């Protein structure tokens, strides 16, 4: 198992940290207030070869591996001071990863060149009736000619309002029980309508919206993986998505700790800096522990995915759970450390909490991560518990 960056990856990480600090961070507070996504910066990021590091050379990439991508991504997340923009990058990266892991050579050849050079991708599972129970989705396809006609509604999809290419989680009911299938559609396809950006509490620089599919023609060669086998593909996609949330949380925490350390050394109460009070120190310790656990669990999940370790899905859920719950806790305590100043929308502190809350929901809620972790324990633990004893008869007295 290899964890951490080699010298090339260190350079890549620093390059994109610097890019993000220069190009993304300066306007991020204003975009948060306005609720806007900056498509121009997205194009500049692509032009700087952000997406090509782990793409095989035959598709126009640099032939590296997942670590090469993650190094650049961690740099981006560190420098951007813009969790929403980074979340948009997570969604786009997920689509690329699905193509790398499960696409055919033709699908990769058709789609990757555009996706690494400025187009925007989205992955759509959630529907208006719910997101947690993915296997219950209603979006469905009927066979027609050489492919399918796909109809349904998706909601709360990152990048939907600006997407070019969208992965749709649907089903092919005629297959019977095992029918979940992944389809690729182009946002410009006849019958595809994307909605306006939703007005969210946080992640306001990431455009999130609906997708409506009305008898969209999807050729058979736009199905990703085997027809009916979509859930298997989805598990590895979700694990990749969740490890990225670990990196997002770690980088957010790194910035939050810097704010907190400055505050606790410069704000005085009772004749000493507040950092001298052990109740305040405790908050910093929790932030540091959460940052380290989120980062190293994320790396460990990446290693599990690369090594095809069967534990990848549970480890990804441990990462997401630790990262998202710890991030919300830390963002709440950061406001506490800043007192009223932290609660003031004119400052830069309250946004961390608004952005953090979404991380407990997007990519599978906290409750779903707990279910997944327990399921893996139950599946991997031989039944050693004796049969439940018979219930004694009720005492007639
Ligand atoms: C910023 C943001 C970006 C998003 N981007 C995307 C995207 O790109 N693509 C996409 O497909 N979706 C996306 N989503 C949607 C997200 O995946 C869903 O919101 C999430 O899966 C939860 O679905 P829901 O909101 O419908 O809640 P529901 O599924 O209705 O659940 C409501 C509550 O009940 C809990 N619950 C449900 N079932 C159980 C159970 N069995 N046991 C215990 N608790 C349970 C849930 O954990 C939740 O707390 C995004 C969401 C946000 C906030």
């Amino acid at each position: 198992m290899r964890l951490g960056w080699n010298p090339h990856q260190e350079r890549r990480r620093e390059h994109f940290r610097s890019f993000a600090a220069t190009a993304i961070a300066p306007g991020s507070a204003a975009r948060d207030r306005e609720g806007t996504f900056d498509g121009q910066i997205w194009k500049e990021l692509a032009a700087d070869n952000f997406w090509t590091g782990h793409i095989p050379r035959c598709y126009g990439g640099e032939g590296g591996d997942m670590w090469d991508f993650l190094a650049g991504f961690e740099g981006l997340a560190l420098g951007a001071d813009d969790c929403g923009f980074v979340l948009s990058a997570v969604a786009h990266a997920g689509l690329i990863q699905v193509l790398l892991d499960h696409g055919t050579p033709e699908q990769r050849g058709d789609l990757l060149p555009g996706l690494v050079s400025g187009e925007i991708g989205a992955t759509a599972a959630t529907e208006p009736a719910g997101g947690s129970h993915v296997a219950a989705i209603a979006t469905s396809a009927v066979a027609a000619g050489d492919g399918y006609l796909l109809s349904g509604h998706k909601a709360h999809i990152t990048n939907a309002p600006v997407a070019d290419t969208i992965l749709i989680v649907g089903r092919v009911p005629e297959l019977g029980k095992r029918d979940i299938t992944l389809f690729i559609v182009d946002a410009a396809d006849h019958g595809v309508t994307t909605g306006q950006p939703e007005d969210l509490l946080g992640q306001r620089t990431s455009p999130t919206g609906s997708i409506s599919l009305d008898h969209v023609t999807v050729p058979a060669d736009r199905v990703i993986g085997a027809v009916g086998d979509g859930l298997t593909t989805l598990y590895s996609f979700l694990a990749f998505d969740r490890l990225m949330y670990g990196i997002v949380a770690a980088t957010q925490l790194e910035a939050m700790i810097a704010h907190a350390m400055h505050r606790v050394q410069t704000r005085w109460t009772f004749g000493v800096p507040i950092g001298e009070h052990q109740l305040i120190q405790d908050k910093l310790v929790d932030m540091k522990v959460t940052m380290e656990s989120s980062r190293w669990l994320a790396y460990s999940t990446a290693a599990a995915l690369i090594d095809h370790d069967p534990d990848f899905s549970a480890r990804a859920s441990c990462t997401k759970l630790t990262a998202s719950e710890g991030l919300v806790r830390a963002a709440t305590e950061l406001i506490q450390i800043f007192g009223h100043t932290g609660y003031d929308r004119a400052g830069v502190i309250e946004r961390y909490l608004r952005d953090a809350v979404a991380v407990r929901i997007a990519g599978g809620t906290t409750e779903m991560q707990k279910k997944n972790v327990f399921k893996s324990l139950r599946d991997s633990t031989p039944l050693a518990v004796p049969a439940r004893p018979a219930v004694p008869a009720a005492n007639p007295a």
Side-chain angles (χ1 to χ4, degrees), residues 232-240 242-243 300-319 372:
T232 313
T233 309
L234 206 56
Y235 281 132
S236 70
F237 157 72
L238 284 174
F240 178 72
R242 289 167 184 172
L243 88 82
S300 147
T301 305
L305 271 175
I306 291 166
D307 296 345
H308 303 289
D309 183 328
D311 194 40
F312 75 87
S313 178
R315 218 178 293 172
S317 285
C318 291
T319 306
N372 197 31

Side-chain angles (χ1 to χ4, degrees), residues 87 91 122-133 155-159 200 202-203 208 245 358 361-368 371:
L87 204 72
T123 54
T126 305
E127 302 192 345
S132 298
H133 192 183
H156 323 311
I157 308 302
T158 301
N159 295 345
L200 300 181
Q203 307 289 356
T208 305
Y245 281 107
I361 302 169
T365 63
T366 285
E367 291 76 12
M368 292 305 108
K371 270 171 64 89

Side-chain angles (χ1 to χ4, degrees), residues 12 152 256 368:
R12 205 174 153 76
M256 289 156 67
M368 292 305 108

Side-chain angles (χ1 to χ4, degrees), residues 2 30 53 76 138 150 154 167 198 202 213 261 272 282 309 311 330 352 361 388 393:
R2 192 189 96 197
L76 176 84
L150 183 64
K154 297 293 178 184
L167 179 82
E198 295 166 359
L213 305 150
M261 285 307 294
V272 292
D282 184 60
D309 183 328
D311 194 40
Y352 286 108
I361 302 169
R388 189 176 174 187

Side-chain angles (χ1 to χ4, degrees), residues 143-179:
D146 145 31
Y148 298 91
L149 286 177
L150 183 64
S151 296
H153 296 280
K154 297 293 178 184
H156 323 311
I157 308 302
T158 301
N159 295 345
V162 292
D164 299 291
T165 305
I166 308 169
L167 179 82
I168 302 283
V169 183
R171 61 190 336 130
V172 183
E174 70 188 40
L175 292 176
K177 211 164 170 222
R178 194 178 168 86
D179 66 347

Side-chain angles (χ1 to χ4, degrees), residues 374 377-378 381-389:
F374 184 74
L377 283 174
R378 196 179 48 204
T381 308
L383 190 63
V385 190
R388 189 176 174 187

